[in-house]
Amino acid sequence: MVVKKPRIVIIGAGMAGLVAANKLYTSPGTKEAFELCIVEGGNRIGGRILTSEIGGDRIEMGATWIHGVGGSPIFKIAEEIGALDSKQPWEHKDGYPKDVLTVAEGGLVLDSVSIVEPISNLYRNLMDYAQGKLVEGTETYKKNSSISNGYSDKLSIGSFLRKGLEAYWNSAKSGDKMIKSLEEAVFAMHENEERAHTSAGELSDLDYNAESEYKNFPDEELTIAKGYLRVVESLASVFPSGLIQLGRKVIKIEWKKDENEAAMEMENRYGSSRPVKLHFDDGSVMVADHVIVTVSLGVLKAGIRDGSPSGMCFSPPLPSFKKDAISRLGFGTVNKLFLELSPTYKEFKNFPNLQMAFHSSSSELRKQEIPRWMRRTASLSPIYNDSSVLLSWFAGKEALELESLEDEEIINGITTTISSFLPEPKTRKVLNSQQCSNGNALTIEFARVVKSKWGTDPLFMGSYSYVAVGSSGKDLDSMAEPLPCVPSTPSHPLQILFAGEATHRTHYSTTHGAYFSGEREANRILKYYNL
């Protein structure tokens, strides 16, 4: 009887899963060596990459940026397939919003020189220090070093930033209460941007010590003109029909914790004796020799919580080091809100790149009519110059609340907020004092609303990972450890492997981190078989 080929099953058709499958399928000799398939719980490929459309414009509901073109595998693929240029405008084709208008709640347009830039520079310097970018010995380095000295291992980015702001105020000559309130609002605006960048609902949850381990690629950041989905489709284009199975949600993985038992099943390839068994939500099962798990950290977190219907459970349960890492690491929700301006709104081509500085809860200038879920949003801007589609980012509790709102509630909340920040252009003034403009509210009409819903999607349960206070980069390494936890040899077979952005120590939360992790696990299997 012919010995069966080792069967490799990859769970998830996102970036990590597709890269792993692409590597295993295209490496020399592997078509003859392996039986390979991808099982995907949803009805599409891409995972947290989802290109869509609104008002004739191409938009990204999930992953958006190539974070630095120098060394990025995503940039390399996008360039090779000609996806970086398009005749049709696209989201952020102009890069980051330029010529921003920073306005305080109530319509006070903030002076860039006296208020916005000093606080923005302070914030950037603090983050550069936390990320290890400042040169030791400089005056800025010394100031920030004094802020962090003496802190415990549980220092958060949030507490570090606030200590920096307090130090700035203590050294400032002016004690003007109004100016201080505006500076605090601008600083909070940058903190809200950071929440969306990291997915940490609160920066007090974001670990300070791990911040310097995170790595960025050099050079400019780009969005993909023809859509991020083009990269995904390129990776999947080499597969034969049937290799990717959609609508196949795995709810349980059985594996052999006893290495001897697993080794015996690996040697017996005459029946269905393979050491790993996958259980699907439709009641069907599949056996495999090796399984690469690429589901989100959110799904793994749900799986270790008893009784969660959205999680993936393991039998026997995951070892404690793996469960502890899953529990300690952070996994937050970030959502994007797109709003198409109505054609009846005559000035839509003049809508500014608006940065919104909300007043603190103790401020007398706080507008009670602005809804709570809008108050931690940093900006509202056209997706590119002259676009009729506006974009705003939400994180944490506000992102989850956004998912539950009806379109009418969203439009009412947005228009109320805009009316507080943008009075009629003819009455708007640039101010840096206690004066406020009291022009008529700017009336805006919207034709359509589109929002992402990553937090409540049972296939993701959130957006991307971060290193939370109480966890560390070691937990990301633990996430990447295969099972069983012994050196992989024929007598100790490799059963379950883990990939995805939350398994990469220095590039977590990114698509290129997911790419590297998929490549890593494919190489682990190739090395196991000496291929």
Side-chain angles (χ1 to χ4, degrees):
M1 187 177 292
V2 179
V3 175
K4 290 187 176 182
K5 298 177 184 179
R7 180 181 294 160
I8 303 169
V9 179
I10 298 171
I11 303 176
M15 180 64 74
L18 292 173
V19 168
N22 185 286
K23 178 79 173 179
L24 289 170
Y25 187 77
T26 60
S27 294
T30 55
K31 290 187 183 68
E32 297 76 26
F34 302 133
E35 180 185 329
L36 177 67
C37 77
I38 300 175
V39 292
E40 162 59 47
N43 58 6
R44 61 176 180 86
I45 65 172
R48 283 165 274 175
I49 295 171
L50 178 58
T51 303
S52 188
E53 179 273 337
I54 177 174
D57 280 327
R58 186 181 297 116
I59 57 174
E60 303 290 357
M61 304 300 292
T64 306
W65 292 95
I66 296 176
H67 292 289
V69 301
S72 169
I74 309 301
F75 173 73
K76 183 179 178 181
I77 295 173
E79 188 176 43
E80 288 175 350
I81 65 176
L84 295 175
D85 295 302
S86 175
K87 293 180 180 179
Q88 177 188 353
W90 65 94
E91 186 180 340
H92 285 305
K93 75 178 180 67
D94 309 299
Y96 288 106
K98 298 177 177 65
D99 301 321
V100 298
L101 179 69
T102 306
V103 185
E105 182 178 350
L108 178 64
V109 181
L110 301 181
D111 181 70
S112 176
V113 175
S114 64
I115 295 178
V116 180
E117 279 307 310
I119 294 298
S120 298
N121 287 335
L122 168 67
Y123 186 89
R124 283 191 291 268
N125 285 333
L126 289 167
M127 288 304 302
D128 282 349
Y129 177 82
Q131 294 165 358
K133 296 176 183 177
L134 290 182
V135 178
E136 188 171 354
T138 63
E139 190 62 30
T140 305
Y141 179 92
K142 291 175 182 177
K143 287 181 181 179
N144 293 321
S145 180
S146 66
I147 295 171
S148 63
N149 282 344
Y151 282 179
S152 71
D153 290 339
K154 293 186 177 181
L155 173 65
S156 72
I157 286 293
S159 60
F160 172 74
L161 290 172
R162 283 290 155 162
K163 287 288 184 180
L165 181 59
E166 289 291 339
Y168 174 84
W169 282 336
N170 290 336
S171 65
K173 295 180 181 179
S174 174
D176 188 290
K177 184 178 179 181
M178 178 63 177
I179 296 298
K180 186 175 180 179
S181 175
L182 295 174
E183 289 175 338
E184 199 280 337
V186 172
F187 197 84
M189 179 184 74
H190 288 297
E191 289 177 312
N192 287 330
E193 288 179 336
E194 199 71 37
R195 293 168 63 238
H197 291 162
T198 62
S199 92
E202 301 293 340
L203 295 187
S204 58
D205 295 332
L206 188 63
D207 187 71
Y208 172 86
N209 294 307
E211 192 68 19
S212 59
E213 282 197 312
Y214 187 89
K215 302 300 179 187
N216 287 312
F217 288 122
D219 304 324
E220 64 180 324
E221 298 197 348
L222 299 175
T223 53
I224 301 177
K226 293 179 181 175
Y228 231 114
L229 194 59
R230 290 293 292 272
V231 174
V232 169
E233 292 170 341
S234 174
L235 289 167
S237 64
V238 302
F239 303 141
S241 176
L243 190 144
I244 300 176
Q245 301 178 20
L246 300 178
R248 300 275 281 155
K249 183 181 178 181
V250 178
I251 59 173
K252 181 179 179 181
I253 302 177
E254 289 187 64
W255 60 292
K256 305 296 182 183
K257 194 172 184 179
D258 186 316
E259 291 85 8
N260 292 327
E261 183 182 359
M264 289 175 62
E265 294 207 8
M266 287 285 283
E267 291 171 2
N268 176 15
R269 301 193 190 279
Y270 296 103
S272 61
S273 297
R274 302 181 192 264
V276 187
K277 181 183 289 187
L278 306 180
H279 295 258
F280 296 88
D281 61 352
D282 62 1
S284 62
V285 297
M286 179 186 293
V287 292
D289 296 293
H290 314 286
V291 173
I292 303 178
V293 176
T294 73
V295 299
S296 75
L297 177 59
V299 170
L300 292 175
K301 281 180 174 290
I304 63 175
R305 296 194 294 265
D306 293 338
S308 175
S310 299
M312 176 186 293
C313 65
F314 293 79
S315 180
L318 293 172
S320 58
F321 84 91
K322 185 77 73 173
K323 288 194 293 185
D324 290 346
I326 292 170
S327 296
R328 285 191 294 255
L329 286 168
F331 191 75
T333 298
V334 176
N335 279 316
K336 299 165 80 173
L337 173 65
F338 297 92
L339 302 112
E340 181 187 3
L341 290 165
S342 172
T344 60
Y345 175 56
K346 297 179 181 179
E347 293 194 10
F348 75 83
K349 290 196 177 213
N350 297 320
F351 197 94
N353 289 317
L354 177 63
Q355 287 186 328
M356 298 180 289
F358 290 94
H359 293 300
S360 67
S361 58
S362 60
S363 174
E364 296 176 356
L365 299 175
R366 190 178 174 96
K367 303 293 183 181
Q368 298 302 319
E369 61 268 23
I370 295 177
R372 178 186 63 254
W373 51 269
M374 275 298 302
R375 287 197 159 275
R376 302 185 75 186
T377 302
S379 62
L380 179 66
S381 303
I383 60 173
Y384 58 82
N385 287 338
D386 297 333
S387 173
S388 62
V389 176
L390 308 182
L391 167 62
S392 193
W393 292 68
F394 295 77
K397 292 183 292 186
E398 292 77 20
L400 288 171
E401 185 170 355
L402 178 71
E403 296 189 28
S404 66
L405 298 176
E406 298 295 333
D407 288 358
E408 184 177 358
E409 293 178 283
I410 293 172
I411 290 174
N412 288 339
I414 290 286
T415 52
T416 298
T417 304
I418 291 175
S419 68
S420 176
F421 281 86
L422 296 179
E424 289 285 5
K426 62 183 179 182
T427 62
R428 195 184 308 154
K429 299 178 182 179
V430 178
L431 303 170
N432 62 357
S433 67
Q434 296 185 32
Q435 295 174 293
C436 290
S437 53
N438 295 308
N440 297 323
L442 188 63
T443 302
I444 294 180
E445 296 178 0
F446 293 102
R448 187 181 172 198
V449 172
V450 174
K451 62 185 176 182
S452 58
K453 296 182 179 181
W454 298 110
T456 53
D457 190 319
L459 295 176
F460 305 102
M461 306 297 290
S463 301
Y464 35 89
S465 62
Y466 63 93
V467 181
V469 173
S471 63
S472 70
K474 292 180 180 179
D475 287 327
L476 293 161
D477 287 339
S478 293
M479 291 293 299
E481 284 293 315
L483 299 176
C485 311
V486 293
S488 300
T489 65
S491 60
H492 296 286
L494 192 62
Q495 295 179 57
I496 305 177
L497 303 86
F498 294 85
E501 51 86 13
T503 71
H504 199 290
R505 183 160 183 163
T506 58
H507 292 293
Y508 55 89
S509 81
T510 65
T511 52
H512 59 262
Y515 182 103
F516 289 140
S517 73
E519 192 174 52
R520 178 194 67 218
E521 297 312 309
N523 285 332
R524 195 191 301 272
I525 289 178
L526 293 174
K527 183 179 179 181
Y528 180 78
Y529 285 100
N530 297 315
L531 292 172

